[in-house]
Amino acid sequence: MTGSADSTGSPSAARADRGFPALAAENRWLRDQLARRHLLDLAAGALTAQLRLPPCEAAEHLSALAQATGLSTEDLAADIVNAAAGDGSAVTVPPESDGPAPEDGRPVEERRARRAAAAAETADTVGEAARTLLEEGLAPLGADSLWLWQRVDSGCLRLVGSAGAGAAEAAAWQWIPPAAPEAFRAVLAENIPLWLEEGPPAGEPLPGPTARAARALLSLRRRDRTVGLALVGWPGPTTLDATARRAVTGLVGVAGTVLDAAGSPPAAVPVLVDVLDSLARPAMLLAVPDTAGEPIVEHLNEEGAGALGGTASGSDTALARAFPFVHVDLARMARRAIGTARTQRAARLPLSAAPGDPPPLLDVRVLPAGGKHAVVMWHTVGATGLAAARAVARLQNTAPFQDSLTGGGTVWSPEAYGIFGMARDEPPVPLAELRDRVRPDDREALADLVATVTERQTGGQTVLRIVLPDGTVRHVRVAAEPLIAEGTVTGLAGVYQDVSDSRRTEAALTATFDHLTALHGQAELRHQLALQLQQAIVPEVPGLQEMPGDLVVAARYRPAAEEYRVGGDWYDVLALPDGRILLAVGDIAGHGIDAVTGMVALHNAQRALAFTGRSPRRLMEWLNEVTLRTSGGVTATAVCALYDPEDRGLLWTSAGHLPMVLLRDGRARLLEPPRDLLLGAVPSYAYHEQRIGLRPGDTLLLYTDGLIERRHDGLDEGVARLAAEAERLAGHAPDTLVDALLATAAGDTDDDTSIVAVRVRARPPAR
């Protein structure tokens, strides 16, 4: 994007001020241009394919068609892309013709939807794409919310973007297990949209304002596979005719293409977000990485967005992008607040400004918010460089007063009576006589202020807690200056300002931060206990463990990354009374104490059930019922195998787990599992089992997805990489093999990892 921006409508005139609103307007303009360019490129690509034009001529042909039809280039591009996508009647242009193009009978709604889709496809994050789809495409259809979940390999759905939903509600629907609710399972299983014009069936909860509000559930597809699920919500019951359903389906389909941008779940603490949204002053929540990282604006309340020239709250924006003139100072204050656990303050940022710079941030406060988060609050003014304007901005809830020390009495402005809860016909109270109206703890501060003005003949200020006649307590800031005649103080003048709202806000935030700090400490303790429990239940096998018969075993467990601490992996190699050997590995969905307690329940249940001597298929069916009855609604994948030393046969079954790897004669082979459901999905499920004979020298690898799962690759690619690496290391002993595979593991999802290597030894010759 080069050349003069003014020729295409750039807000360069507004940019002359270099104010925050102007910078925000320029940023929105640049995004609009990016979306426009994307739409034109799509249309040019369609023309290239349809008319067999060189790419360099397709753009010129598009402009010529627009001129011939009298349409704008964007409208014609939207028509062409819609036709290519099958969203409207076909647009056919003879190859030899420069026009005329199709008649302009296409609905405005289809063009608007296509432009919204193009803007969403160029969004930086899934959250931004969701807001774009809602505001520019779905809102004109009456919708007021959009939820986008990504399907993860555990079978769960993870919320990666939403718009029109409160932070607390979004947190409540952050994770959806495979077992519930029924509407989600049906849409994912059948890939057929579900249109609930009068809300879901009774007793089935779904996100939305009321039980009878209309919803639409649609699967998100990418390259012929289901990658997630979308929910569109309306404020009440709504008739969704064929036109509306077609429009919603087209818009939501775009979300499937942007799920690759999904990173970690939003880290904003819901209660903090709700508190910030209730403030009457600009505020934002910052995520502050290590010193080298750029802080991210995770949430900006409505007043903050308005101060930057926007109209709605934003999130997931680099601090330098939102505050280009003061981001260095804000980042430094945020890191200091987090490091010292103390509020940082600045009267204004930047401290000095050149002519034409944006207005400063005034009364900046940065508060630690637990972990790597900080809250920033500030005031701003609309004019630049005018001290009078800044003074007026501070006059809310302010009342001037004047006391005479020579018999002239006290004069209050009308606003002072309201601050002190007094009637207008009551006599005003001199500053020095407010002693009986302030809290006892503040009387010394009042006396110091009076002495500062009358004895030291200088100005001063303090905040007093004033007790009103009805018992209500207000925080009142008092600023006073002496009136001096011929070296003698004859009176004093000043202002009273009711700052109760800001004090209550700061107290509420402090209480919230204290509560979050306590919760953080409890979470640390829970994680430590969970890690100890995990290590006690699933200890590593440091060397080679010899089993009865002819097996040697090596096993390793690697905990999850620091932010998760511990997960729900388990493994087992157990000699049974009938001479067979149980081989098992499993993975509970999720992390933390709940995952570990679920793991303990399933691990112990599997061990106990194995002593019945029943087949792996039957053991897995019982374990599925145990999972369904385990508190917390856990789900899990697992492999369960029984090895018989007599004939070296391995009978095994799998509940949605990854294929085992068999190393034989230096070559790796995947043992593809039966296509059975994961544990905890549905009751009374019948599992299948398979049998394979093992030979001396064979090595069997059982593992969990943390070993191979990567954020931007499929599991098939990860399994293939593991098989290739295992084949390269096939000649190593089992303990060396598992250590080498862990060291070269390709997984990057910060998940915990278990791996078990079982080798069949050659039997000594009979004597």
Side-chain angles (χ1 to χ4, degrees), residues 362 379-382 386-398 497:
L362 305 176
H379 289 293
T380 188
V381 293
L386 296 177
R390 291 197 295 271
V392 171
R394 294 178 179 273
L395 290 181
Q396 296 178 352
N397 301 319
T398 300
Q497 183 181 23

Side-chain angles (χ1 to χ4, degrees), residues 136-147:
E136 300 183 17
L138 295 169
L141 301 174
D144 65 351
S145 64
L146 174 62
W147 307 69

Side-chain angles (χ1 to χ4, degrees), residues 238-391:
T238 305
T239 299
L240 302 173
D241 58 19
T243 301
R245 295 185 180 190
R246 185 170 59 252
V248 169
T249 302
L251 285 165
V252 169
V254 176
T257 67
V258 299
L259 284 189
D260 284 344
S264 302
V269 184
V271 65
L272 266 182
V273 170
D274 290 340
V275 169
L276 296 185
D277 284 344
S278 69
L279 297 181
R281 64 186 294 183
M284 62 182 170
L285 180 63
L286 287 183
V288 185
D290 295 334
T291 304
E294 174 68 28
I296 299 298
V297 180
E298 284 196 353
H299 185 76
L300 189 68
N301 69 359
E302 185 175 355
E303 287 71 20
L308 296 183
T311 57
S313 61
S315 62
D316 303 328
T317 301
L319 181 64
R321 184 171 168 185
F323 295 87
F325 287 90
V326 294
H327 69 97
V328 174
D329 293 323
L330 289 176
R332 175 177 46 79
M333 293 175 67
R335 290 193 171 94
R336 185 178 299 169
I338 292 172
T340 63
R342 297 176 64 87
T343 300
Q344 304 297 308
R345 291 178 170 86
R348 60 174 283 158
L349 290 177
L351 296 178
S352 59
D357 280 355
L361 307 185
L362 305 176
D363 191 20
V364 181
R365 299 186 185 189
V366 183
L367 302 88
K372 296 293 185 180
H373 285 84
V375 165
V376 181
M377 299 186 296
W378 74 95
H379 289 293
T380 188
V381 293
T384 308
L386 296 177
R390 291 197 295 271

Side-chain angles (χ1 to χ4, degrees), residues 115-129:
R115 286 193 290 268
E121 288 171 345
T122 59
D124 291 336
T125 66
V126 179
E128 184 179 329

